[in-house]
Amino acid sequence: MENVRTQFAANLREHRDRAGLSQEALADICDLHRTEISLLERRKRSPRLETIVVLARGLDLASPAELLEGIR
């Protein structure tokens, strides 16, 4: 399960950085608390399905699957 969290965290940070957003800015866009973004990026929490969808929309990704790339 740690590998899943590690890959998701890396994907989230990469997409957030590519979008030029801080954790706080992404949290505001997604109506989440900044701590939630931090916990996900530090592999301290696994995201719920709804959270993955909200993050993908906030990052303007074509699909939530982009946050799951590399996870097997």
Side-chain angles (χ1 to χ4, degrees):
M1 199 61 171
E2 184 62 29
N3 290 339
V4 172
R5 285 185 187 173
T6 298
Q7 186 62 55
F8 180 83
N11 292 346
L12 177 57
R13 174 170 263 166
E14 178 183 336
H15 286 291
R16 182 178 60 75
D17 286 345
R18 194 178 298 161
L21 297 170
S22 66
Q23 289 181 348
E24 188 169 359
L26 179 58
D28 287 345
I29 291 167
C30 296
D31 197 28
L32 297 170
H33 197 280
R34 186 202 57 80
T35 304
E36 178 74 10
I37 306 299
S38 175
L39 289 171
L40 291 169
E41 287 189 359
R42 290 185 296 126
R43 305 177 321 271
K44 300 296 184 189
R45 181 175 291 170
S46 294
R48 297 178 332 168
L49 176 58
E50 293 85 357
T51 303
I52 295 170
V53 172
V54 167
L55 288 167
R57 289 177 182 163
L59 291 164
D60 200 28
L61 301 179
S63 167
E66 290 185 53
L67 290 172
L68 303 177
E69 288 179 7
I71 296 174
R72 299 227 175 249

